[in-house]
Amino acid sequence: MRKKRIAVIGLGDFGIELVKRLYEDGQEVTAIDQDKNKIDRIREFSTYCVAIDSTDESELKEHGLDEMDAVVLAIGDNFENLIVTADALKKIGAINIFARYQSDLNKRVLQMLGIENLFNPEEQAAHSMAEQLANSSVKGVTLLGQDYRILEAMVPKHMQGKTVQGAKLREDWNLNLITVKRPKKTRRKSDKKDEEVLGIPSPNLILSEGDILVLFGKAEDLEQMIGKR
């Protein structure tokens, strides 16, 4: 599989963490910020890093931002720079622009510029924590727009012992099962149990107590399923 070329503009805490994760995942990551000190911090965790003015179209084009598979605008502390950079990226023909917003006004302005892939890390983290605190069976949540979620939840009791096909997740709950995480067995009870990802689930896979279902669907459908314990 070909490595993806991804640029991250804005190296705050979120931007730096994103660069590191992408680089560890084997992608070709270009890290960009105006602050040379931040560039120095990320140098060993990126494929290429450079301190430039991201609002300058010629600088962006010179460093190949128009040829990236995706560009992430992670600028969080300067909305003017975020908007001008987004506009500059559109003008040079950059594709798959993902932009961070911090308010509804930010979001509307980015949408007017034609940026469709918008995200708010703080909002997503708050939603995820709220759902985990409200329901102990929920182990993780990823928001996909306003309506859809990827949810990690403990397998409900009424599904334990059933096959994936027998659980009827799609038929009864309108949900898609992405994969199953299963605790690895250890010899000693004191050992920390790691999780094994079982890949694309077979229809004949039997769901067991302790399994974590990774599900995709509408928020309302997911809530109904995990509510029926």
Side-chain angles (χ1 to χ4, degrees):
M1 184 181 293
R2 182 180 71 84
K3 292 182 179 180
K4 288 190 175 182
R5 295 171 297 172
I6 302 170
V8 177
I9 301 175
L11 300 178
D13 291 339
F14 172 79
I16 286 176
E17 188 63 26
L18 180 60
V19 169
K20 288 180 178 179
R21 292 291 182 92
L22 289 168
Y23 185 70
E24 288 170 0
D25 194 43
Q27 309 306 328
E28 294 183 8
V29 191
T30 296
I32 293 173
D33 198 281
Q34 293 181 347
D35 189 334
K36 291 182 179 179
N37 291 327
K38 290 181 178 179
I39 293 299
D40 289 338
R41 284 175 58 194
I42 202 66
R43 194 174 300 279
E44 63 179 297
F45 302 107
S46 61
T47 310
Y48 177 69
C49 56
V50 61
I52 62 171
D53 179 1
S54 64
T55 65
D56 188 326
E57 291 177 39
S58 61
E59 290 266 33
L60 295 175
K61 200 167 182 65
E62 180 182 341
H63 292 282
L65 273 291
D66 55 327
E67 299 176 351
M68 295 288 168
D69 293 306
V71 179
V72 181
L73 278 171
I75 300 169
D77 56 357
N78 190 321
F79 184 59
E80 182 179 354
N81 275 6
L82 173 64
I83 294 300
V84 177
T85 300
D87 187 50
L89 287 168
K90 294 288 287 186
K91 286 178 179 176
I92 67 171
I95 59 172
N96 290 335
I97 302 170
F98 294 77
R100 177 182 185 176
Y101 70 90
Q102 292 189 308
S103 70
D104 288 339
L105 175 61
N106 296 170
K107 188 176 182 179
R108 287 198 298 273
V109 174
L110 287 164
Q111 287 173 329
M112 284 189 284
L113 287 174
I115 309 296
E116 298 179 356
N117 301 310
L118 303 173
F119 67 95
N120 181 308
E122 294 82 6
E123 183 180 278
Q124 187 170 87
H127 274 281
S128 180
M129 179 166 284
E131 293 199 35
Q132 290 182 61
L133 290 171
N135 193 317
S136 60
S137 68
V138 175
K139 301 303 177 185
V141 184
T142 301
L143 308 182
L144 298 175
Q146 292 186 340
D147 298 326
Y148 289 91
R149 307 277 190 274
I150 292 176
L151 180 101
E152 296 184 27
M154 299 298 295
V155 61
K157 288 183 180 179
H158 64 89
M159 292 184 187
Q160 293 172 17
K162 292 184 178 180
T163 63
V164 168
Q165 186 174 31
K168 295 185 177 180
L169 286 160
R170 183 173 293 181
E171 296 88 342
D172 292 350
W173 306 98
N174 198 31
L175 300 173
N176 289 307
L177 180 63
I178 298 172
T179 191
V180 176
K181 294 182 178 180
R182 177 165 291 171
K184 290 182 179 178
K185 293 181 180 179
T186 57
R187 294 182 178 179
R188 294 184 300 176
K189 291 183 178 180
S190 60
D191 289 342
K192 183 179 178 180
K193 292 184 179 180
D194 293 324
E195 293 171 350
E196 178 184 8
V197 178
L198 302 185
I200 299 174
S202 161
N204 299 319
L205 175 69
I206 297 175
L207 301 174
S208 304
E209 182 181 0
D211 284 352
I212 296 174
L213 307 181
V214 183
L215 300 159
F216 168 76
K218 285 189 174 181
E220 56 196 45
D221 294 327
L222 288 162
E223 287 170 7
Q224 286 184 10
M225 194 280 288
I226 63 175
K228 186 178 185 301
R229 304 306 298 168

